[in-house]
């Protein structure tokens, strides 16, 4: 049977042991559908980033199971996991982590160069297309450190999309942006969903996001407290 779930988390728990035992994720079960735009909210320290790291394959140290695009990610070897991540998942973080001395074009091209499946010309073409989608194509030849905060964050999204990820994750991607830039990023995410059926899972404190997502998942003390 073909399921429309692209993420399935089953009874996921995680305990930090340092300095004392602390159950940061407590029996989390959730699903995300293909093409869904889901927002994860909750108070500071509630476990949002920890959960995102597990769901996005960055962390595989947990109890329970997480299946992404049909693959139980804990079953992969480190090499398989790295390959799976590079081809399946895109990330946008609160701080963009662009390489400041590289051009915008080079920054965006890097994940595709790493993937090693496209020629240099194809990569440049894809990168320019993504920069255009995010409205920053005119910045392509500049060093990334010369861009404004909002422009840099849009470049980070363009980079995250380079390998056509099945899921785009974000951890407070607009946390450092003013409301105008936040609104622009939000519009772009909505367009990605509408035009390309992009699956999106974002952690945010921003109510603009929560209002315009398909679904809001709230967590508190490592537990899901609602599904609406
Ligand atoms: N490596 C670690 N070792 C021990 N405790 C940790 C570790 N990483 C996070 N924690 C604790 O786990 C809890 C959840 O952290 P997490 O970063 O997931 O919260 P969050 O919901 O993302 O918060 P914020 O909104 O402030 O980003 C916090 O109490 C944090 O101190
Ligand atoms: Mg966090």
């Amino acid at each position: 049977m073909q399921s429309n779930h692209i993420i399935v988390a089953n009874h996921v728990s995680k305990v930090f042991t340092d300095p004392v035992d602390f159950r940061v994720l407590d029996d989390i079960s959730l699903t995300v559908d293909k093409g869904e735009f889901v927002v994860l909210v909750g108070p500071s320290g509630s476990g949002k980033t920890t959960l995102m790291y597990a769901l996005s394959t960055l962390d595989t140290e947990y109890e329970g199971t997480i299946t992404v695009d049909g693959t139980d990610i804990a079953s992969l070897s480190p090499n398989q996991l790295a390959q799976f991540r590079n081809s399946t998942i895109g990330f946008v973080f609160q701080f963009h982590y662009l390489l400041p001395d590289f051009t915008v074009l080079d920054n965006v091209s890097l994940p595709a160069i790493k993937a090693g499946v496209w020629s240099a010309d194809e990569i440049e073409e894809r990168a320019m297309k993504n920069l255009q989608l995010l409205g920053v194509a005119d910045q392509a030849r500049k060093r990334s450190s010369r861009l404004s905060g909002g422009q840099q964050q849009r470049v980070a999204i363009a980079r995250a999309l380079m390998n056509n990820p099945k899921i785009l994750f974000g951890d407070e991607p607009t946390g450092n942006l003013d409301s105008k830039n936040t609104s622009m990023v939000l519009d772009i995410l909505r367009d990605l969903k509408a035009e390309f059926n992009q699956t999106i899972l974002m952690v945010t404190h921003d109510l603009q996001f929560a209002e315009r997502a398909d679904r809001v998942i709230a967590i508190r003390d490592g537990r899901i407290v609602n599904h609406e």
Side-chain angles (χ1 to χ4, degrees):
M1 201 181 73
Q2 194 78 16
S3 148
N4 201 33
H5 296 155
I6 193 155
I7 302 176
V8 181
N10 252 319
H11 302 294
V12 171
S13 292
K14 183 176 176 79
V15 177
F16 285 125
T17 52
D18 185 29
V20 291
D21 279 10
F22 172 63
R23 186 165 288 269
V24 59
L25 299 179
D26 189 6
D27 197 27
I28 298 239
S29 294
L30 62 83
T31 60
V32 175
D33 285 347
K34 284 185 186 131
E36 212 180 0
F37 183 178
V38 176
V39 159
L40 186 60
V41 300
S44 180
S46 57
K48 301 181 299 296
T49 294
T50 308
L51 178 59
M52 272 268 309
Y53 272 53
L55 295 177
S56 65
T57 80
L58 284 174
D59 177 19
T60 53
E61 302 284 309
Y62 50 78
E63 297 158 37
T65 56
I66 297 176
T67 306
V68 177
D69 196 29
T71 301
D72 175 358
I73 53 184
S75 73
L76 299 178
S77 71
N79 275 342
Q80 289 172 323
L81 188 66
Q83 201 179 6
F84 179 82
R85 189 183 297 142
N86 201 39
S87 63
T88 310
I89 295 201
F91 304 95
V92 190
F93 296 99
Q94 179 172 6
F95 303 98
H96 47 75
Y97 299 118
L98 299 176
L99 301 171
D101 295 332
F102 283 59
T103 66
V104 164
L105 184 60
D106 286 344
N107 269 283
V108 172
S109 300
L110 270 175
I113 294 169
K114 215 167 113 192
V117 291
W118 296 287
S119 71
D121 284 351
E122 283 169 318
I123 289 172
E124 178 161 339
E125 197 177 312
R126 295 169 63 80
M128 288 308 299
K129 212 178 76 204
N130 280 340
L131 288 170
Q132 210 151 10
L133 197 65
L134 278 293
V136 281
D138 56 335
Q139 308 293 319
R141 306 283 166 185
K142 266 196 203 168
R143 278 164 50 180
S144 72
S145 57
R146 299 281 163 82
L147 271 58
S148 74
Q151 288 171 331
Q152 293 189 23
Q153 200 55 286
R154 283 183 277 151
V155 171
I157 297 173
R159 178 183 57 181
L161 293 171
M162 255 326 258
N163 294 345
N164 291 333
K166 293 189 170 153
I167 310 167
L168 181 63
F169 286 92
D171 194 355
E172 303 194 39
T174 60
N176 285 307
L177 301 181
D178 60 23
S179 68
K180 185 163 157 269
N181 275 299
T182 296
S183 178
M184 188 180 291
V185 167
L186 186 50
D187 286 344
I188 289 163
L189 295 175
R190 294 251 23 141
D191 288 351
L192 288 172
K193 182 205 145 76
E195 281 178 43
F196 306 108
N197 199 36
Q198 178 70 55
T199 308
I200 302 174
L201 182 56
M202 294 279 151
V203 171
T204 184
H205 282 113
D206 197 313
L207 286 175
Q208 280 191 71
F209 262 80
E211 277 165 12
R212 291 167 70 180
D214 295 324
R215 185 156 55 105
V216 175
I217 298 177
I219 83 168
R220 179 178 291 270
D221 298 331
R223 298 185 72 92
I224 291 179
V225 290
N226 81 329
H227 268 285
E228 272 313 304

